[in-house]
Amino acid sequence: MSSWILIRGGTVIDGTGSPAVEGCTVLVKDDTIEAVGTDIGEDPIPRGDAVTRIDATGKTVMPGLIDAHCHTSFGETRMQEEQDLYTSHELRTLRSAWNVTKVLRAGVTGISDPGGSYFIGVGIREGIAEGLIQGPRMTTAGRFLSTSNGISDWYPSSVGVPDSSIGKVVNTADEMVTEVRHQVKNGVDLIKIGDSVLGDFEAFSRDEVKAMSDAAHRLNKRITMHARGSNNVDSAVAAELDWIMHGNTLRDDTIERLADSQIPLAPALLLLGNLGEFGQAAGVPAETRSAYTRLLDDTAGCLNKAREAGVPIITGTDTGFAATPYGDWHARELELLMRYAGMTALEAIKAATHDCAIVLGEENDVGSLVAGKGADIIVVDGDPLADIRVLCDKKRIETVILRGEVQVFDDEVLAQRRPYDRAQHICPSDITYDLVFNGSSATQPEVRDFDSDGERELLAQLDDLAGTAAQESN
């Protein structure tokens, strides 16, 4: 006997980019979509089979969202040290397992984890597959592959890169290929390359990127790259990576090569957007907020050109930081793609469903409401074509169906947060004599989490990068 789900009367957005259809029915058999249409009844359901009936009248029925950039083991950290150094391996794993349920509750039925601590992502993926953890379909990388100049070698050389770090330093082509083999042996689905933080230089040579890509593909694994600058993206295209992350500052010739390659681009705008637009609520200094906003504004020129040139754009959020907590903001990436890449709501939904399914692998044939596809479906109280922001309100994600099963959540329990252990501050600012005896509310320094040469250097780099983006987009 099979189990069936009959979703009747809703407006169906099938994820393929086709117009929405009102008064439509979706019929699910076991874990597969059996039929979609306006003339479907219960005739295909054999007598005696179990049927779950959902009345979707006045609601929207669409594929579950897919997030190509969800770091399951980042722990909602506020500081790099929290991400790399604090909280035991075992407790990181348990907290990560808690957090992926929140992702699913937000209507995200598929994620790709592009790197994190140890092989926690592999364990979470397997726990979900075995039914030990309630979470979305998932593919995962291991630790980022970085050079001494790449995205995850943060600390002084005297400290190095500890095993608990999100990155693994590999400074020669042989070391890079060896680490690819090591990670594949330990169960990853993909390899994550971490080039320079802001894309203002290349941490890997083009030949090194090609060596890693070839090694991953020989072992039937996929590979992606943190690539913000034009030269970084050029290297990724030349190495035939499977998808590329960010692409903030792209020359016209790079956009042309990227479009010709048809390699998808996941801009991951959410982290910049939340820090720039909402950072004040969390105490992010004004100069930092402004720098992120300028970079995002200048990125818009590149993204619009890329979309118009035919570059496939998919959704990724950089979820896992304190600025992008699990289960809160995934759907906001669609709003930002509309704002900064010029997409319509229908195009943004396609980017977050049908197009983004590539990160889940061919074996996960999902992302659209089409007969024969996997039954990952959400029912939304509202019309995302009229206001895409309804997808951000979990209360309006009324039903989540994963692999043909209606999911049940305890929202009160899931409202709890499970971050990694916080850094212990002795004092958030300097208590000087002048502050205490000569200061006033107008002259006291801004209270903030950190104020260092490293932060000032980052702000200067952001300004330089924004200036470069503005010049290259003109």
Side-chain angles (χ1 to χ4, degrees), residues 363-427:
E363 66 278 10
N364 285 307
D365 193 11
V366 295
S368 55
L369 301 188
V370 175
K373 292 279 190 175
D376 294 355
I377 304 167
I378 58 175
V379 179
V380 182
D381 180 16
D383 180 5
L385 297 182
D387 183 0
I388 200 73
R389 291 172 295 184
V390 301
L391 295 174
C392 280
D393 186 350
K394 289 188 287 290
K395 294 179 181 178
R396 303 184 75 166
I397 310 295
E398 291 194 343
T399 305
V400 178
I401 298 170
L402 177 68
R403 296 187 174 92
E405 294 187 7
V406 177
Q407 303 295 300
V408 178
F409 305 97
D410 187 329
D411 285 346
E412 184 175 344
V413 171
L414 289 179
Q416 302 172 33
R417 309 220 70 85
R418 294 288 188 271
Y420 287 175
D421 297 347
R422 296 300 186 197
Q424 300 299 307
H425 287 189
I426 296 173
C427 187

Side-chain angles (χ1 to χ4, degrees), residues 190-241:
L190 60 130
I191 300 297
K192 165 69 174 289
I193 302 173
D195 211 298
S196 60
V197 177
L198 297 173
D200 47 339
F201 62 86
E202 295 175 85
F204 292 90
S205 72
R206 184 166 297 196
D207 287 343
E208 289 168 341
V209 176
K210 185 67 163 65
M212 290 182 282
S213 179
D214 288 347
H217 290 151
R218 279 197 305 271
L219 296 168
N220 295 323
K221 301 298 179 182
R222 290 175 298 167
I223 183 167
T224 186
M225 180 170 165
H226 169 105
R228 291 197 183 273
S230 207
N231 289 341
N232 312 122
V233 171
D234 273 335
S235 292
V237 170
E240 300 180 321
L241 269 58

Side-chain angles (χ1 to χ4, degrees), residues 75-76 95-96 98-99 102 326 413 416-420:
E76 297 185 346
R95 290 180 179 171
S96 299
W98 171 274
N99 285 324
K102 302 174 80 165
Y326 301 101
V413 171
Q416 302 172 33
R417 309 220 70 85
R418 294 288 188 271
Y420 287 175

